[in-house]
Amino acid sequence: ETEQDPNYKELLRQRSFLGWTLSLIMMVIYFGFILLVAYAPKFLGMRLGTGVMTIGIPIGLFVIVSAFVLTGVYVNRANAKYDVLIRRIVEGYRS
């Protein structure tokens, strides 16, 4: 059975660990931003230089970009490691 395959168990373990880790990182970033909005709006509203840009704009952009970066980390890991484990699992059932 697939559930007994050591490659399958390793795939589940690695994928679960990475998924939870990246989710936790994103939650810290997101809720950190929300807490800043709630408790430090004056800080976020401070101007950067003489223009109209405030500190909140790059911080908000960081939140958005970090979601894409963390997704890229997961996809990279999936292509590099998880696909190899999946191939091993499939090949084990073909033979």
Side-chain angles (χ1 to χ4, degrees), residues 44-59:
L44 291 175
M46 289 173 46
R47 291 184 187 264
L48 293 174
T50 58
V52 295
M53 173 125 22
T54 64
I55 291 175
I57 293 172
I59 292 175

Side-chain angles (χ1 to χ4, degrees), residues 25-26 29-30 33 56-69:
I25 292 169
M26 191 65 232
I29 292 170
Y30 178 75
F33 180 70
I57 293 172
I59 292 175
L61 187 59
F62 168 77
V63 172
I64 295 167
V65 170
S66 65
F68 285 101
V69 169

Side-chain angles (χ1 to χ4, degrees), residues 19-48:
W20 282 108
T21 301
L22 295 177
S23 294
L24 180 63
I25 292 169
M26 191 65 232
M27 285 176 57
V28 167
I29 292 170
Y30 178 75
F31 287 114
F33 180 70
I34 295 302
L35 289 172
L36 276 175
V37 169
Y39 294 106
K42 290 181 182 177
F43 170 73
L44 291 175
M46 289 173 46
R47 291 184 187 264
L48 293 174

Side-chain angles (χ1 to χ4, degrees), residues 1-9 85-95:
E1 278 188 42
T2 305
E3 290 85 16
Q4 303 306 319
D5 188 324
N7 289 315
Y8 179 73
K9 289 179 181 180
L85 287 171
I86 291 170
R87 268 189 240 110
R88 286 184 197 158
I89 294 166
V90 171
E91 287 170 3
Y93 287 97
R94 287 185 182 165
S95 50

Side-chain angles (χ1 to χ4, degrees), residues 69-82:
V69 169
L70 293 175
T71 301
V73 167
Y74 184 87
V75 169
N76 185 40
R77 175 65 65 95
N79 290 339
K81 290 202 172 198
Y82 303 156

